[in-house]
Amino acid sequence: MALTGTEISKRYDSKQVEDRWYAFWEKSGFFRAEVTTDKKSFCIVIPPPNVTGVLHMGHALDETLQDILVRWKRMQGFNALWIPGTDHAGIATQNVIEKRLSQEGLTRNNFGREKFLKYAWKWKEEYRDRIISQLKRLGTSCDWSRERFTMDKDYVKSVKEVFVRLYKNKLLYRDNYIVNWCPRCQTAISDIEVERKELKGSLYYINYPLEQSNDQIVIATTRPETMLGDTAIAVNPQDKRYKRFIKKVVVLPIIGRKIPIISDERVDSSFGTGAVKVTPAHDPVDYEIGLAHNLKQIVVIDENGKMSKNASAYSGMDRYSCREKLVEDLKKEGYLLKIQNHLHNVGHCSRCHTIVEPLVSKQWFISMKSLAQPAIKAVTSGKIGFSPTRWEKVYLNWLKNIKDWCISRQIWWGHEMPVWYCNDCGEIIVDIATPSKCGRCESSDLEKDSDVLDTWFSSALWPFATMGWPEQTKELGYFYPTTVLVTGYDIIHFWVARMIMMGLHFTDNIPFKNVYLHGIVRDSSGKKMSKSTGNVIDPIDLVNQYGADTLRFALAELSTLGGQDILLTTTRIEGARNFCNKLWNAARFSITNLTGHKNLNIDSNFHNLTSDDWFILTKLDQTIVSLTESLEKYKFNEAASTIYNFFWHEFCDWYLEIIKHRVSEKTNCAAARAVLFHVLKQSLKLLHPFIPFITEEIWQNLKKTIDPDLNKSIMISSWPNTDSKYVNLKETNKAMLKYEIINIGRNLRGDWNIPLSEDINYIVKTTSIEEEKALSSERTGMQRLLHAANVKIGYNVKISSPFPSDVTKSGITVFLCLGDKFDFASEKTNLEKKIDKLEDEFEKIGRKIDNQDFLRKAPKDVIENQQKKRVRISENRIKLIENLDKVKSFLK
């Protein structure tokens, strides 16, 4: 236990606290949200983590920001529901399972489909449990009674219903079409699942001889192996160089097939020679050209990435081995003119990073144009808002140029499609229930489609399927549409846009009112975290080392509204840990000084409030306003910065420093204790959404030792409201002026190396009689905090010697009275030595950051720290030189 008697332990131990309070919250039912009519709803659906493995830093950021919103809204009195769950992640999960099997010398084909799926379900249970455990370690206040999985029984029902309705609405069709095929995953993938990577390749210039002529046409290609499937040469009709070639015939090198020369507007005259080979079966543009000109589709590369029987002598070869052999043969036969180095973008499977192969294949597609229009209007009309707003343009551009979505996948793990084919008459049967016979010919010889649906198909239904759709549940009527979606900008096309389209089509309503898109968490040098680069940080490792609150606060501080990527550094983490320690120590001081005192009501001590009391009460009121506004606008970093600055700098640095004296000397201590208790309680509430565990621990200690009438949990306490009766700007400004004078006085003492143990005098020259009167009442406090023998305050005060001084923003001059004992000669020598040392350091760092070898090898944060250090040295040097000049003036 953290509390012994009336003493709170000196050190906060997150390991002893977090599990205990999470279990308490969960057991008490604080996370649960039921449909009610007496509260406004607030709802978030979690972006379901994939059951491919464990949580990464992106999840930690995602869940932290959502939990901040949910806890805050719950405290504001909303009926806050956060629906948790996990995603089956079809291809991604199947890939990691296959990798596990390969370590045992097995393949999925060794297993067979049924056995493989049993293994996959066991995998799902194992990693679902790990993920949920990790989510709880982070402090997520999800309603676990509503946990969903994208392949649970009811979810399957929703998916089937959507598929069937799309088919009946003629928005779903099956056709032969050019698709992105992954030879490794053995499935088609959608366009947005293809990652384009710039690779160093070659541009091959090949002669195609004209039939019955000595003439020839030269084409340039990056993929000579596909020429085995060429069915035409194409030129742009506006290209004057090739007008005489149009409608002529060439003989395909090596193969000898006769193919026509055609004209088509899609040909880029600036690429290569301006003449291109047309391979309709292996290039998306060529496929379109082929359809327009009724060209034959000759498949020369199969689903395994090997050359097909149509590749003649190259049949059975790997596509890249074929390239090497074919180029060798073209050169030998005199067809190859030259090879140039060429940079080009090559499509890779986003899951396994294999180079994809464009193949013509029979697949299922959704017609997207009609679905996209309402989704465009939902954003342009303002029904759905994006934060930051710049992502609206990205969203709209994609929807305005949307292509039909290939949703069938040739894998085993995923939603089976409710499709059957009649082997007698070819009828396609799409139904939720399994048919017993064909509706057209009544044959019972039916074959089920073996494909599964794209993972994103089922994910697109998440906001309404998790609430029981297609049933018209009370949850859908109350919590839908959800309030806000919090997710990364990298899945705006994969998921966000598709949820909006599906939500509008099937519920006739938007799925969420707001979309907050955050950045990607990167390492300290700005690199994306990945296992291959070895820079992955496990969030639970950080939780174990620093505590969940530390990680949460650091992530909140780093999450800007601009959606910039986040560079996670040890410095940031340690800064958040220091803040949690600051909070703990402030709580220890408060509990020690509040225990045993009953009159802790501000109102009953109103007449005894000092300028310091009014300062902290006014600043608290301003903090409540600012913090609440920041959260309303999803400015998480501003919200975190606001409460950090208030608590550390205004409450701890100033008010607690002043409270120590008032309490210890029993001077106006009742008012001080009342204000202390009030501000600490309100601060804990403001901090709770960010750092829930430590605030609950302190709250429970306050409840046990100070006020048993506090709420059972800080989680269910009320969010602070502003109150004008606790605002006094005149007294606040007076206190702030006092603090400014104290800061100047402290800085002057430090500049002149006067130890705190040495009594010294100050003179404060005001700009008016009114200022003199106002500050005179604060003299005692100033003397104590400045460790001064005396502070003389006056408008007409005379300065007898040229004392060191500085001026406040309002023009008040603060003088440090050095006195006759001060050794200016020794100080001159001391300052000169310090300046020399700083100049040496300045030059040393300068040589380092000017060294190109250092700049190339050193991590980005190391370079930045060196640059910042050099700036600090320069600033300190300038200050010391100014002091040296002052000392010299006194020696004259």
Side-chain angles (χ1 to χ4, degrees), residues 341-374:
N341 292 332
H342 180 67
L343 279 176
H344 60 145
N345 287 316
V346 179
H348 292 68
C349 173
S350 62
R351 300 297 184 186
C352 70
H353 309 295
T354 301
I355 294 178
V356 297
E357 187 63 46
L359 290 181
V360 174
S361 176
K362 186 161 277 191
Q363 302 288 342
W364 283 91
F365 297 86
I366 298 178
S367 298
M368 301 301 290
K369 292 286 185 185
S370 61
L371 292 174
Q373 291 310 307

mmCIF file of all heavy atoms in Angstrom, residues 341-374:
data_model
loop_
_atom_site.group_PDB
_atom_site.id
_atom_site.type_symbol
_atom_site.label_atom_id
_atom_site.label_comp_id
_atom_site.label_asym_id
_atom_site.label_seq_id
_atom_site.Cartn_x
_atom_site.Cartn_y
_atom_site.Cartn_z
ATOM 1 N N ASN A 341 20.498 2.462 -67.607
ATOM 2 C CA ASN A 341 20.073 2.476 -66.198
ATOM 3 C C ASN A 341 18.797 3.291 -66.078
ATOM 4 O O ASN A 341 18.637 4.313 -66.753
ATOM 5 C CB ASN A 341 21.164 3.079 -65.311
ATOM 6 C CG ASN A 341 22.392 2.200 -65.227
ATOM 7 O OD1 ASN A 341 22.300 0.982 -65.368
ATOM 8 N ND2 ASN A 341 23.549 2.811 -65.013
ATOM 9 N N HIS A 342 17.909 2.824 -65.225
ATOM 10 C CA HIS A 342 16.598 3.469 -65.164
ATOM 11 C C HIS A 342 16.013 3.328 -63.761
ATOM 12 O O HIS A 342 15.924 2.232 -63.206
ATOM 13 C CB HIS A 342 15.661 2.804 -66.189
ATOM 14 C CG HIS A 342 14.276 3.387 -66.222
ATOM 15 N ND1 HIS A 342 14.015 4.666 -66.644
ATOM 16 C CD2 HIS A 342 13.068 2.844 -65.885
ATOM 17 C CE1 HIS A 342 12.718 4.897 -66.577
ATOM 18 N NE2 HIS A 342 12.130 3.807 -66.118
ATOM 19 N N LEU A 343 15.627 4.475 -63.156
ATOM 20 C CA LEU A 343 14.921 4.449 -61.871
ATOM 21 C C LEU A 343 13.424 4.386 -62.131
ATOM 22 O O LEU A 343 12.901 5.194 -62.903
ATOM 23 C CB LEU A 343 15.224 5.710 -61.069
ATOM 24 C CG LEU A 343 16.541 5.757 -60.278
ATOM 25 C CD1 LEU A 343 16.699 7.128 -59.633
ATOM 26 C CD2 LEU A 343 16.581 4.682 -59.207
ATOM 27 N N HIS A 344 12.744 3.439 -61.507
ATOM 28 C CA HIS A 344 11.304 3.362 -61.704
ATOM 29 C C HIS A 344 10.612 2.843 -60.457
ATOM 30 O O HIS A 344 11.215 2.183 -59.603
ATOM 31 C CB HIS A 344 10.959 2.500 -62.920
ATOM 32 C CG HIS A 344 11.443 1.081 -62.829
ATOM 33 N ND1 HIS A 344 10.748 0.019 -63.352
ATOM 34 C CD2 HIS A 344 12.558 0.536 -62.281
ATOM 35 C CE1 HIS A 344 11.408 -1.098 -63.144
ATOM 36 N NE2 HIS A 344 12.502 -0.821 -62.504
ATOM 37 N N ASN A 345 9.321 3.191 -60.326
ATOM 38 C CA ASN A 345 8.516 2.758 -59.187
ATOM 39 C C ASN A 345 7.956 1.374 -59.444
ATOM 40 O O ASN A 345 7.308 1.139 -60.467
ATOM 41 C CB ASN A 345 7.376 3.736 -58.930
ATOM 42 C CG ASN A 345 7.876 5.030 -58.327
ATOM 43 O OD1 ASN A 345 8.694 5.008 -57.425
ATOM 44 N ND2 ASN A 345 7.407 6.159 -58.837
ATOM 45 N N VAL A 346 8.201 0.473 -58.505
ATOM 46 C CA VAL A 346 7.775 -0.917 -58.660
ATOM 47 C C VAL A 346 6.831 -1.263 -57.518
ATOM 48 O O VAL A 346 7.111 -0.978 -56.352
ATOM 49 C CB VAL A 346 8.996 -1.869 -58.662
ATOM 50 C CG1 VAL A 346 8.538 -3.321 -58.811
ATOM 51 C CG2 VAL A 346 9.962 -1.499 -59.782
ATOM 52 N N GLY A 347 5.704 -1.887 -57.844
ATOM 53 C CA GLY A 347 4.715 -2.249 -56.841
ATOM 54 C C GLY A 347 5.118 -3.454 -56.017
ATOM 55 O O GLY A 347 5.561 -4.465 -56.559
ATOM 56 N N HIS A 348 4.965 -3.337 -54.705
ATOM 57 C CA HIS A 348 5.260 -4.439 -53.779
ATOM 58 C C HIS A 348 4.029 -4.715 -52.921
ATOM 59 O O HIS A 348 3.278 -3.799 -52.580
ATOM 60 C CB HIS A 348 6.419 -4.073 -52.849
ATOM 61 C CG HIS A 348 7.742 -3.959 -53.522
ATOM 62 N ND1 HIS A 348 8.044 -2.946 -54.426
ATOM 63 C CD2 HIS A 348 8.867 -4.720 -53.436
ATOM 64 C CE1 HIS A 348 9.283 -3.093 -54.853
ATOM 65 N NE2 HIS A 348 9.813 -4.154 -54.265
ATOM 66 N N CYS A 349 3.863 -5.957 -52.544
ATOM 67 C CA CYS A 349 2.791 -6.328 -51.620
ATOM 68 C C CYS A 349 3.073 -5.671 -50.273
ATOM 69 O O CYS A 349 4.172 -5.810 -49.718
ATOM 70 C CB CYS A 349 2.732 -7.849 -51.463
ATOM 71 S SG CYS A 349 1.577 -8.416 -50.202
ATOM 72 N N SER A 350 2.097 -4.949 -49.741
ATOM 73 C CA SER A 350 2.306 -4.237 -48.477
ATOM 74 C C SER A 350 2.458 -5.193 -47.306
ATOM 75 O O SER A 350 2.934 -4.804 -46.242
ATOM 76 C CB SER A 350 1.139 -3.273 -48.217
ATOM 77 O OG SER A 350 -0.081 -3.984 -48.091
ATOM 78 N N ARG A 351 2.058 -6.452 -47.485
ATOM 79 C CA ARG A 351 2.131 -7.417 -46.377
ATOM 80 C C ARG A 351 3.466 -8.155 -46.339
ATOM 81 O O ARG A 351 4.096 -8.254 -45.314
ATOM 82 C CB ARG A 351 0.992 -8.445 -46.502
ATOM 83 C CG ARG A 351 -0.389 -7.832 -46.471
ATOM 84 C CD ARG A 351 -0.678 -7.137 -45.166
ATOM 85 N NE ARG A 351 -2.040 -6.626 -45.099
ATOM 86 C CZ ARG A 351 -2.502 -5.887 -44.109
ATOM 87 N NH1 ARG A 351 -1.726 -5.560 -43.114
ATOM 88 N NH2 ARG A 351 -3.750 -5.452 -44.129
ATOM 89 N N CYS A 352 3.882 -8.690 -47.509
ATOM 90 C CA CYS A 352 5.095 -9.523 -47.518
ATOM 91 C C CYS A 352 6.229 -8.891 -48.306
ATOM 92 O O CYS A 352 7.331 -9.438 -48.358
ATOM 93 C CB CYS A 352 4.783 -10.915 -48.062
ATOM 94 S SG CYS A 352 4.410 -10.921 -49.836
ATOM 95 N N HIS A 353 5.946 -7.758 -48.986
ATOM 96 C CA HIS A 353 6.948 -6.968 -49.714
ATOM 97 C C HIS A 353 7.487 -7.658 -50.967
ATOM 98 O O HIS A 353 8.531 -7.272 -51.499
ATOM 99 C CB HIS A 353 8.105 -6.577 -48.781
ATOM 100 C CG HIS A 353 7.637 -5.946 -47.506
ATOM 101 N ND1 HIS A 353 6.973 -4.729 -47.482
ATOM 102 C CD2 HIS A 353 7.680 -6.388 -46.219
ATOM 103 C CE1 HIS A 353 6.650 -4.430 -46.232
ATOM 104 N NE2 HIS A 353 7.066 -5.420 -45.446
ATOM 105 N N THR A 354 6.763 -8.662 -51.453
ATOM 106 C CA THR A 354 7.107 -9.287 -52.735
ATOM 107 C C THR A 354 6.661 -8.360 -53.867
ATOM 108 O O THR A 354 5.634 -7.680 -53.757
ATOM 109 C CB THR A 354 6.383 -10.649 -52.872
ATOM 110 O OG1 THR A 354 6.780 -11.486 -51.784
ATOM 111 C CG2 THR A 354 6.704 -11.331 -54.194
ATOM 112 N N ILE A 355 7.426 -8.326 -54.961
ATOM 113 C CA ILE A 355 7.009 -7.530 -56.120
ATOM 114 C C ILE A 355 5.758 -8.158 -56.717
ATOM 115 O O ILE A 355 5.718 -9.352 -57.008
ATOM 116 C CB ILE A 355 8.140 -7.461 -57.167
ATOM 117 C CG1 ILE A 355 9.329 -6.677 -56.605
ATOM 118 C CG2 ILE A 355 7.647 -6.807 -58.458
ATOM 119 C CD1 ILE A 355 10.525 -6.594 -57.527
ATOM 120 N N VAL A 356 4.722 -7.329 -56.852
ATOM 121 C CA VAL A 356 3.447 -7.853 -57.351
ATOM 122 C C VAL A 356 3.510 -8.029 -58.864
ATOM 123 O O VAL A 356 4.301 -7.384 -59.561
ATOM 124 C CB VAL A 356 2.264 -6.924 -56.984
ATOM 125 C CG1 VAL A 356 2.099 -6.825 -55.487
ATOM 126 C CG2 VAL A 356 2.419 -5.550 -57.610
ATOM 127 N N GLU A 357 2.657 -8.902 -59.342
ATOM 128 C CA GLU A 357 2.565 -9.173 -60.780
ATOM 129 C C GLU A 357 1.167 -8.806 -61.262
ATOM 130 O O GLU A 357 0.186 -9.343 -60.756
ATOM 131 C CB GLU A 357 2.838 -10.660 -61.056
ATOM 132 C CG GLU A 357 2.942 -11.008 -62.508
ATOM 133 C CD GLU A 357 4.117 -10.314 -63.191
ATOM 134 O OE1 GLU A 357 5.233 -10.316 -62.634
ATOM 135 O OE2 GLU A 357 3.891 -9.768 -64.292
ATOM 136 N N PRO A 358 1.043 -7.883 -62.221
ATOM 137 C CA PRO A 358 -0.283 -7.624 -62.790
ATOM 138 C C PRO A 358 -0.738 -8.851 -63.593
ATOM 139 O O PRO A 358 -0.040 -9.293 -64.509
ATOM 140 C CB PRO A 358 -0.045 -6.417 -63.707
ATOM 141 C CG PRO A 358 1.268 -5.836 -63.259
ATOM 142 C CD PRO A 358 2.069 -6.992 -62.785
ATOM 143 N N LEU A 359 -1.874 -9.411 -63.213
ATOM 144 C CA LEU A 359 -2.398 -10.598 -63.891
ATOM 145 C C LEU A 359 -3.883 -10.414 -64.180
ATOM 146 O O LEU A 359 -4.594 -9.774 -63.405
ATOM 147 C CB LEU A 359 -2.238 -11.850 -63.019
ATOM 148 C CG LEU A 359 -0.839 -12.413 -62.787
ATOM 149 C CD1 LEU A 359 -0.935 -13.662 -61.906
ATOM 150 C CD2 LEU A 359 -0.163 -12.759 -64.102
ATOM 151 N N VAL A 360 -4.335 -10.996 -65.277
ATOM 152 C CA VAL A 360 -5.771 -11.026 -65.557
ATOM 153 C C VAL A 360 -6.346 -12.222 -64.817
ATOM 154 O O VAL A 360 -5.878 -13.348 -64.964
ATOM 155 C CB VAL A 360 -6.046 -11.122 -67.066
ATOM 156 C CG1 VAL A 360 -7.547 -11.299 -67.313
ATOM 157 C CG2 VAL A 360 -5.534 -9.881 -67.778
ATOM 158 N N SER A 361 -7.338 -11.939 -63.986
ATOM 159 C CA SER A 361 -7.895 -12.994 -63.145
ATOM 160 C C SER A 361 -9.366 -12.725 -62.908
ATOM 161 O O SER A 361 -9.816 -11.574 -62.937
ATOM 162 C CB SER A 361 -7.131 -13.017 -61.814
ATOM 163 O OG SER A 361 -7.672 -13.949 -60.930
ATOM 164 N N LYS A 362 -10.125 -13.793 -62.663
ATOM 165 C CA LYS A 362 -11.550 -13.646 -62.359
ATOM 166 C C LYS A 362 -11.689 -13.370 -60.866
ATOM 167 O O LYS A 362 -11.322 -14.197 -60.028
ATOM 168 C CB LYS A 362 -12.325 -14.897 -62.763
ATOM 169 C CG LYS A 362 -13.836 -14.751 -62.613
ATOM 170 C CD LYS A 362 -14.592 -15.788 -63.428
ATOM 171 C CE LYS A 362 -14.719 -15.332 -64.866
ATOM 172 N NZ LYS A 362 -15.654 -16.162 -65.662
ATOM 173 N N GLN A 363 -12.208 -12.185 -60.538
ATOM 174 C CA GLN A 363 -12.306 -11.743 -59.157
ATOM 175 C C GLN A 363 -13.646 -11.059 -58.921
ATOM 176 O O GLN A 363 -14.372 -10.723 -59.860
ATOM 177 C CB GLN A 363 -11.177 -10.746 -58.840
ATOM 178 C CG GLN A 363 -9.769 -11.261 -59.055
ATOM 179 C CD GLN A 363 -9.331 -12.268 -58.021
ATOM 180 O OE1 GLN A 363 -9.924 -12.378 -56.935
ATOM 181 N NE2 GLN A 363 -8.281 -13.035 -58.330
ATOM 182 N N TRP A 364 -13.952 -10.839 -57.628
ATOM 183 C CA TRP A 364 -15.151 -10.102 -57.242
ATOM 184 C C TRP A 364 -14.779 -8.636 -56.991
ATOM 185 O O TRP A 364 -13.766 -8.329 -56.363
ATOM 186 C CB TRP A 364 -15.766 -10.695 -55.977
ATOM 187 C CG TRP A 364 -16.531 -11.960 -56.248
ATOM 188 C CD1 TRP A 364 -16.042 -13.228 -56.218
ATOM 189 C CD2 TRP A 364 -17.909 -12.056 -56.594
ATOM 190 N NE1 TRP A 364 -17.025 -14.134 -56.524
ATOM 191 C CE2 TRP A 364 -18.196 -13.433 -56.757
ATOM 192 C CE3 TRP A 364 -18.935 -11.142 -56.784
ATOM 193 C CZ2 TRP A 364 -19.452 -13.904 -57.102
ATOM 194 C CZ3 TRP A 364 -20.197 -11.604 -57.121
ATOM 195 C CH2 TRP A 364 -20.449 -12.970 -57.277
ATOM 196 N N PHE A 365 -15.619 -7.742 -57.478
ATOM 197 C CA PHE A 365 -15.373 -6.304 -57.377
ATOM 198 C C PHE A 365 -16.625 -5.589 -56.858
ATOM 199 O O PHE A 365 -17.743 -6.021 -57.128
ATOM 200 C CB PHE A 365 -15.009 -5.707 -58.734
ATOM 201 C CG PHE A 365 -13.739 -6.236 -59.331
ATOM 202 C CD1 PHE A 365 -13.742 -7.403 -60.094
ATOM 203 C CD2 PHE A 365 -12.537 -5.570 -59.131
ATOM 204 C CE1 PHE A 365 -12.573 -7.900 -60.646
ATOM 205 C CE2 PHE A 365 -11.364 -6.056 -59.688
ATOM 206 C CZ PHE A 365 -11.379 -7.219 -60.442
ATOM 207 N N ILE A 366 -16.378 -4.460 -56.132
ATOM 208 C CA ILE A 366 -17.471 -3.563 -55.761
ATOM 209 C C ILE A 366 -17.395 -2.337 -56.660
ATOM 210 O O ILE A 366 -16.325 -1.747 -56.840
ATOM 211 C CB ILE A 366 -17.369 -3.108 -54.292
ATOM 212 C CG1 ILE A 366 -17.467 -4.310 -53.342
ATOM 213 C CG2 ILE A 366 -18.476 -2.112 -53.954
ATOM 214 C CD1 ILE A 366 -17.325 -3.933 -51.869
ATOM 215 N N SER A 367 -18.521 -1.954 -57.231
ATOM 216 C CA SER A 367 -18.606 -0.711 -58.012
ATOM 217 C C SER A 367 -18.571 0.457 -57.025
ATOM 218 O O SER A 367 -19.483 0.618 -56.216
ATOM 219 C CB SER A 367 -19.894 -0.667 -58.825
ATOM 220 O OG SER A 367 -19.925 -1.731 -59.735
ATOM 221 N N MET A 368 -17.542 1.282 -57.105
ATOM 222 C CA MET A 368 -17.302 2.273 -56.061
ATOM 223 C C MET A 368 -17.826 3.675 -56.374
ATOM 224 O O MET A 368 -18.040 4.471 -55.457
ATOM 225 C CB MET A 368 -15.796 2.356 -55.756
ATOM 226 C CG MET A 368 -15.191 1.046 -55.294
ATOM 227 S SD MET A 368 -15.954 0.376 -53.777
ATOM 228 C CE MET A 368 -15.381 1.558 -52.565
ATOM 229 N N LYS A 369 -18.009 4.005 -57.630
ATOM 230 C CA LYS A 369 -18.366 5.380 -57.997
ATOM 231 C C LYS A 369 -19.623 5.872 -57.280
ATOM 232 O O LYS A 369 -19.647 6.961 -56.700
ATOM 233 C CB LYS A 369 -18.564 5.487 -59.512
ATOM 234 C CG LYS A 369 -17.295 5.310 -60.341
ATOM 235 C CD LYS A 369 -16.391 6.531 -60.242
ATOM 236 C CE LYS A 369 -15.184 6.394 -61.166
ATOM 237 N NZ LYS A 369 -14.234 7.504 -60.990
ATOM 238 N N SER A 370 -20.686 5.062 -57.314
ATOM 239 C CA SER A 370 -21.948 5.505 -56.705
ATOM 240 C C SER A 370 -21.862 5.534 -55.184
ATOM 241 O O SER A 370 -22.555 6.323 -54.523
ATOM 242 C CB SER A 370 -23.098 4.594 -57.151
ATOM 243 O OG SER A 370 -22.855 3.254 -56.737
ATOM 244 N N LEU A 371 -20.992 4.679 -54.606
ATOM 245 C CA LEU A 371 -20.810 4.693 -53.153
ATOM 246 C C LEU A 371 -19.979 5.904 -52.720
ATOM 247 O O LEU A 371 -20.146 6.424 -51.613
ATOM 248 C CB LEU A 371 -20.111 3.411 -52.698
ATOM 249 C CG LEU A 371 -20.903 2.104 -52.824
ATOM 250 C CD1 LEU A 371 -20.015 0.914 -52.482
ATOM 251 C CD2 LEU A 371 -22.131 2.113 -51.927
ATOM 252 N N ALA A 372 -19.098 6.351 -53.615
ATOM 253 C CA ALA A 372 -18.201 7.442 -53.266
ATOM 254 C C ALA A 372 -18.911 8.795 -53.194
ATOM 255 O O ALA A 372 -18.541 9.655 -52.387
ATOM 256 C CB ALA A 372 -17.053 7.515 -54.265
ATOM 257 N N GLN A 373 -19.913 9.003 -54.029
ATOM 258 C CA GLN A 373 -20.546 10.321 -54.103
ATOM 259 C C GLN A 373 -21.140 10.784 -52.772
ATOM 260 O O GLN A 373 -20.891 11.918 -52.331
ATOM 261 C CB GLN A 373 -21.618 10.330 -55.209
ATOM 262 C CG GLN A 373 -21.044 10.243 -56.615
ATOM 263 C CD GLN A 373 -19.931 11.251 -56.869
ATOM 264 O OE1 GLN A 373 -20.104 12.451 -56.645
ATOM 265 N NE2 GLN A 373 -18.783 10.769 -57.319
ATOM 266 N N PRO A 374 -21.937 9.958 -52.071
ATOM 267 C CA PRO A 374 -22.452 10.398 -50.762
ATOM 268 C C PRO A 374 -21.332 10.641 -49.743
ATOM 269 O O PRO A 374 -21.449 11.513 -48.887
ATOM 270 C CB PRO A 374 -23.350 9.236 -50.320
ATOM 271 C CG PRO A 374 -23.685 8.502 -51.574
ATOM 272 C CD PRO A 374 -22.498 8.644 -52.454
#
